[in-house]
Amino acid sequence: MHSIGIHKVISQMVDFFYYIGLWHRGDEPTTRDLRKKLLYYIYYSLFLVSAVVGAITNEKVDKKVFLVEASIIIAVLYVKLGILIWKQNQILDLLGRVCNFTIRYDEELAFCHRKIGKFAKFVVMFITVEVIALIEVIFIAIVGSEKSLFLEIGVPWDYKNSEIAFWATHIFTVLATILSVTVSFLSIIIWYLLLTSSLRYETLGSELKKTGRITGKMKLSETQKHNIFRKDLEESIDVHLYTRELIDELGSFFSDIFLIQFGTSGLCICGSIYCLVFNVGDNLLERCMHLTVLSYCISDLFLITYCGNEIMLSSNRLSYSIFESKWIEQPKDTKKCIIIFGEYLKQPHQLLIGKLYPLNLETFTRILNSAYSMFNILKSNKK
């Protein structure tokens, strides 16, 4: 038996949440912990309100499109911040139960390590891009002959004509952007949980093919071999029921944020494409930020639906895997169990979000199509 645990990249994110005070140590938060959490929550609430006010009061149509898009993204991140702050124990519990599991054979262990290793490399690249975008936001105000904000938020002071007000607004925006990047780490944790869920089904399928497999050179009677096969089968049935229940719990826990993202992703992608096509921005750095926002929206949506699709496909292959074992050599009662279990496995495990959106790549394609349709509407109405 081999054990799979939480990857070190995810563990480092957890430690980072502890370090900055988004998460608390121990079973219950102290008064100091609660003050930190409330400070983050209130600060980001003000950022959301200022972004919405900026979108409403801005008179330029092109800028308004970008500010509306930014407000939607900030609103989604605001919901994620609430989940991070107030549902810490549930997230840690899911990480512990979903990502820690045992594997029987070396081949499956190597397969899982390859998959998770590739995911970790992508995560490092994703965070690097976010940090580069963050650096752009920090320095965008001092690039060029005229100082300007990347996000023209609505604040109760004239930052366009006052040096002090400008720098106060810039610092407020930069700190809120840093918090936004931090909150986006929750997306990485969600991807990791969904990916690990699909790997649990993948390894279960491989183990079903090898049900009754005998390692070593032991000489066993037919009865002993049948008993080993039966025991492996019973263990696989228990693992499958537990895995299905666990993934349903995972889907239920993140159902609200999935529903919000599916409902708003089309608008965000449409807004980013509009800003890029019609050069909404005063300089090259702002256009790079539009590209970064577009990449984030598409990658977040794609990885959620891709991992959900992998869960569906890997669970669908289980019914074929059980019949690839040496089941035909087993006693009649064992064959009957296998046939019943095989029929049960024919129904793939598909997560359904809000009773509307299946978590698969078809949903991803539909959202991209809706974004393209909205872009055409904006394009036709642009004077």
Side-chain angles (χ1 to χ4, degrees):
M1 285 287 191
H2 306 282
S3 296
I4 290 285
I6 299 174
H7 195 274
K8 63 179 181 180
V9 172
I10 305 300
S11 297
Q12 288 169 354
M13 285 184 187
V14 171
D15 292 338
F16 180 68
F17 291 151
Y18 284 132
Y19 180 76
I20 65 175
L22 274 177
W23 283 2
H24 61 271
R25 298 185 185 275
D27 295 332
E28 296 295 332
T30 63
T31 303
R32 184 180 178 183
D33 293 330
L34 286 174
R35 282 201 295 265
K36 287 182 181 179
K37 292 171 183 283
L38 283 172
L39 177 62
Y40 282 121
Y41 204 65
I42 292 170
Y43 188 90
Y44 209 71
S45 300
L46 294 175
F47 183 54
L48 174 60
V49 171
S50 62
V52 172
V53 171
I56 295 172
T57 57
N58 200 292
E59 297 179 355
K60 297 180 180 179
V61 177
D62 289 349
K63 289 283 187 180
K64 186 181 287 288
V65 170
F66 173 64
L67 288 168
V68 168
E69 174 207 0
S71 299
I72 293 172
I73 294 174
I74 293 169
V76 174
L77 290 173
Y78 179 71
V79 176
K80 289 185 176 182
L81 176 63
I83 293 173
L84 263 180
I85 290 178
W86 309 120
K87 296 187 177 182
Q88 167 192 340
N89 292 335
Q90 293 94 318
I91 295 172
L92 287 172
D93 178 62
L94 282 172
L95 276 172
R97 289 190 293 136
V98 173
C99 304
N100 291 291
F101 60 101
T102 56
I103 298 176
R104 294 181 192 172
Y105 305 109
D106 294 338
E107 299 93 323
E108 284 73 45
L109 180 66
F111 172 78
C112 289
H113 282 319
R114 283 197 304 272
K115 278 275 190 177
I116 295 175
K118 290 178 181 178
F119 173 77
K121 289 179 181 178
F122 172 80
V123 167
V124 172
M125 182 183 69
F126 181 83
I127 294 175
T128 302
V129 171
E130 286 199 318
V131 171
I132 292 172
L134 181 59
I135 293 171
E136 289 179 1
V137 171
I138 293 173
F139 291 103
I140 197 171
I142 56 177
V143 173
S145 56
E146 294 185 4
K147 295 178 180 178
S148 62
L149 293 174
F150 157 68
L151 194 64
E152 296 182 2
I153 58 176
V155 288
W157 53 75
D158 186 7
Y159 63 82
K160 294 183 179 179
N161 298 315
S162 170
E163 186 80 10
I164 296 175
F166 170 81
W167 284 109
T169 307
H170 179 60
I171 293 171
F172 174 78
T173 306
V174 167
L175 292 177
T177 306
I178 293 173
L179 184 55
S180 298
V181 172
T182 303
V183 173
S184 71
F185 290 170
L186 177 61
S187 296
I188 296 174
I189 292 176
I190 294 173
W191 304 339
Y192 179 66
L193 285 167
L194 291 173
L195 174 66
T196 308
S197 298
S198 68
L199 290 178
R200 291 182 76 115
Y201 273 138
E202 289 281 358
T203 55
L204 177 58
S206 297
E207 290 174 1
L208 282 172
K209 295 177 185 179
K210 300 171 184 176
T211 302
R213 180 177 175 179
I214 300 170
T215 56
K217 299 181 180 180
M218 294 184 295
K219 292 184 179 180
L220 302 175
S221 64
E222 287 299 314
T223 302
Q224 289 175 317
K225 291 179 181 178
H226 292 162
N227 289 337
I228 292 174
F229 187 97
R230 180 86 179 198
K231 182 182 177 182
D232 288 350
L233 178 62
E234 290 173 354
E235 288 179 359
S236 295
I237 292 173
D238 291 338
V239 169
H240 177 266
L241 292 175
Y242 176 74
T243 302
R244 192 176 183 91
E245 180 183 340
L246 193 58
I247 294 173
D248 281 336
E249 183 181 344
L250 173 64
S252 177
F253 181 76
F254 290 112
S255 178
D256 291 340
I257 190 63
F258 288 159
L259 187 60
I260 292 171
Q261 282 191 253
F262 288 172
T264 60
S265 292
L267 289 170
C268 296
I269 293 170
C270 170
S272 296
I273 295 174
Y274 179 90
C275 292
L276 286 169
V277 170
F278 295 107
N279 292 321
V280 177
D282 298 325
N283 52 57
L284 179 61
L285 287 176
E286 288 193 35
R287 297 183 187 99
C288 290
M289 284 305 303
H290 299 326
L291 182 61
T292 303
V293 170
L294 176 63
S295 301
Y296 170 76
C297 291
I298 292 179
S299 61
D300 193 11
L301 179 64
F302 172 76
L303 282 166
I304 289 173
T305 52
Y306 171 78
C307 291
N309 198 71
E310 285 297 299
I311 290 173
M312 180 186 68
L313 294 177
S314 57
S315 63
N316 189 45
R317 288 192 289 264
L318 293 178
S319 59
Y320 298 96
S321 299
I322 186 63
F323 290 111
E324 290 185 70
S325 65
K326 297 180 180 180
W327 70 281
I328 203 69
E329 302 172 3
Q330 304 308 310
K332 187 176 181 180
D333 58 339
T334 304
K335 290 180 183 178
K336 189 181 293 185
C337 291
I338 290 172
I339 292 172
I340 294 172
F341 186 43
E343 287 297 317
Y344 174 70
L345 293 176
K346 284 184 178 180
Q347 183 65 32
H349 191 183
Q350 180 167 280
L351 296 175
L352 194 65
I353 307 304
K355 298 182 179 180
L356 293 172
Y357 301 103
L359 202 64
N360 56 30
L361 289 175
E362 183 181 352
T363 300
F364 174 73
T365 304
R366 287 168 55 190
I367 293 174
L368 287 186
N369 288 336
S370 67
Y372 178 72
S373 300
M374 286 185 283
F375 170 74
N376 283 333
I377 293 173
L378 283 176
K379 182 181 177 182
S380 62
N381 291 330
K382 182 176 175 60
K383 296 180 181 178

